[in-house]
Amino acid sequence: MTDLEPDPLVAAAKAGDETAFATLVERHHRELHVHCYRMLGSFDEAEDLVQETFLRAWRRRDSFTGGPGFRAWLYRIATNASLDAIRSRSRRVASLGSFAEVPWLQPYPDRLLDEVAPSEAEPDAVLVARETIELTFLAVIQLLPPQQRAVLILRDVLEWSAAETAALLDTSVAAANSALQRARATLRDQLPEPPADRSASEDLSADERALLQGFIETHERGDTAAAAALLRDDVRVTMPPRPFSFDGIDAILPLLRRAFGPPTMGDWRLVPTRANRQPAAASYLRAPGDTVYRAFKLDVLRVEDGAIAEITTFSCDFFPAFGLAEKL
């Protein structure tokens, strides 16, 4: 990790210039939001933590010693704010059978992830790689104790050195390395192997594009049999924060029949989008007697071996973050 060159805005902010401070911290808003999101798994709570980070930074601006380390200083504050939040909520998953056990899990729009990229203002920003933001990764790292989670993200996601990580967490290099090894062992045990056709880019695979298109078309036609044909036999559907987990085709078919009828819920229109670097579809429903399609739900798909292996359904409350309309 290398930091920004000395910035006159830092001196002005440290001296109490609120405008300079706001300009400076806003440069780091999105990457800090993604960092807090990884720590907690919640899009909404991550925004609260970013605001808490900026408030703590303003109050403690005298503690910044100057020089090029402003970004690292903000990360230190954001990480500690996240650790405080995790501990205060006593939030840790003891075992992970499905996303139903992580009711606070929320999606992250790709259009916002794309804002995190190296630039002249943020040369140290790290592109958001798919394997570090997928819903499965987010859920699995909830199994980790807070310190291990922080070490894993700093070392393996943000690519900080052992020394930098230890300094940020006020621990020794040996302790940080030990925490990292334990965290990596958990991920090896819990994360599925990535698909063989996964490209080095963040683009969807051919299978993902085709299955997303099929998902949209079969839902708009209300074709239960065709929609089911896109699914693996062991497909799983979860609906955070609801504690439901539907496992296997036999459990999913009643959901499809209820959606498509008869009796019908209405007519469907779906809009393709992406969440957590995964294919997703925003569903709109025109109920009988209505004249417009209204926001209904967001489905995030996980594809495996040429079929849909998992569908995670979220509330339409997230549509604004995805830049999606409330009605069509």
Side-chain angles (χ1 to χ4, degrees):
M1 181 191 68
T2 59
D3 282 304
L4 301 175
E5 293 298 320
D7 191 326
L9 279 176
V10 174
K14 189 176 178 183
D17 186 328
E18 293 185 18
T19 301
F21 179 82
T23 300
L24 190 60
V25 297
E26 190 56 34
R27 292 177 179 176
H28 306 281
H29 189 139
R30 183 57 58 199
E31 64 170 319
L32 289 173
H33 189 267
V34 173
H35 178 59
C36 294
Y37 171 74
R38 284 191 179 107
M39 288 289 294
L40 274 77
S42 167
F43 183 87
D44 293 336
E45 291 177 0
E47 182 56 36
D48 293 340
L49 281 173
V50 171
Q51 297 306 318
E52 174 65 18
T53 296
F54 291 164
L55 181 60
R56 291 186 186 188
W58 174 252
R59 290 172 174 170
R60 302 173 187 174
R61 62 189 183 278
D62 289 342
S63 69
F64 178 60
T65 58
F70 188 77
R71 176 175 177 268
W73 181 68
L74 284 178
Y75 263 96
R76 181 189 185 100
I77 296 172
T79 301
N80 284 322
S82 298
L83 291 171
D84 289 345
I86 293 167
R87 290 163 180 152
S88 68
R89 293 167 173 79
S90 300
R91 180 183 288 175
R92 184 184 165 195
V93 179
S95 62
L96 186 64
S98 74
F99 295 162
E101 295 171 63
V102 192
W104 56 89
L105 185 67
Q106 295 179 340
Y108 206 111
D110 272 29
R111 74 186 192 103
L112 300 182
L113 294 176
D114 291 339
E115 293 179 6
V116 182
S119 65
E120 185 176 344
E122 297 179 67
D124 292 333
V126 178
L127 289 170
V128 181
R130 178 168 181 164
E131 63 271 15
T132 71
I133 203 70
E134 287 182 319
L135 290 175
T136 300
F137 176 84
L138 267 294
V140 167
I141 65 173
Q142 303 302 304
L143 292 166
L144 302 175
Q147 193 86 344
Q148 286 186 31
R149 196 181 313 173
V151 169
L152 179 85
I153 292 170
L154 292 168
R155 290 292 314 278
D156 287 356
V157 176
L158 297 176
E159 302 175 352
W160 287 35
S161 71
E164 290 167 330
T165 299
L168 184 146
L169 294 171
D170 288 324
T171 190
S172 67
V173 169
N177 284 337
S178 176
L180 179 62
Q181 295 308 312
R182 293 195 299 275
R184 285 173 174 171
T186 298
L187 263 62
R188 282 195 300 270
D189 290 341
Q190 297 290 331
L191 282 178
E193 288 293 325
D197 65 346
R198 175 71 57 82
S199 67
S201 74
E202 302 309 323
D203 293 335
L204 298 180
S205 70
D207 278 348
E208 287 173 322
R209 292 193 297 273
L211 287 164
L212 176 60
Q213 185 62 31
F215 184 87
I216 290 171
E217 291 175 355
T218 57
H219 279 65
E220 291 187 341
R221 292 200 310 266
D223 191 332
T224 298
L230 302 174
L231 310 176
R232 283 173 54 108
D233 288 342
D234 60 352
V235 64
R236 169 176 290 160
V237 173
T238 53
M239 306 174 179
R242 297 178 179 178
F244 305 142
S245 182
F246 301 89
D247 295 282
I249 285 286
D250 290 343
I252 307 306
L253 281 174
L255 301 180
L256 294 174
R257 294 185 184 118
R258 190 177 309 141
F260 302 152
T264 180
M265 291 178 63
D267 299 318
W268 295 95
R269 287 291 179 270
L270 276 67
V271 176
T273 186
R274 288 184 62 177
N276 298 76
R277 304 300 192 202
Q278 298 175 238
S283 292
Y284 294 80
L285 176 66
R286 186 178 64 188
D290 204 349
T291 58
V292 297
Y293 291 87
R294 303 185 186 278
F296 191 82
K297 64 185 174 74
L298 177 74
D299 290 311
V300 183
L301 312 182
R302 181 172 65 83
V303 170
E304 187 176 322
D305 298 330
I308 297 173
E310 190 162 16
I311 302 170
T312 311
T313 301
F314 296 100
S315 164
C316 61
D317 292 345
F318 294 102
F319 277 30
F322 283 79
L324 294 164
E326 293 183 2
K327 56 188 178 180
L328 298 178

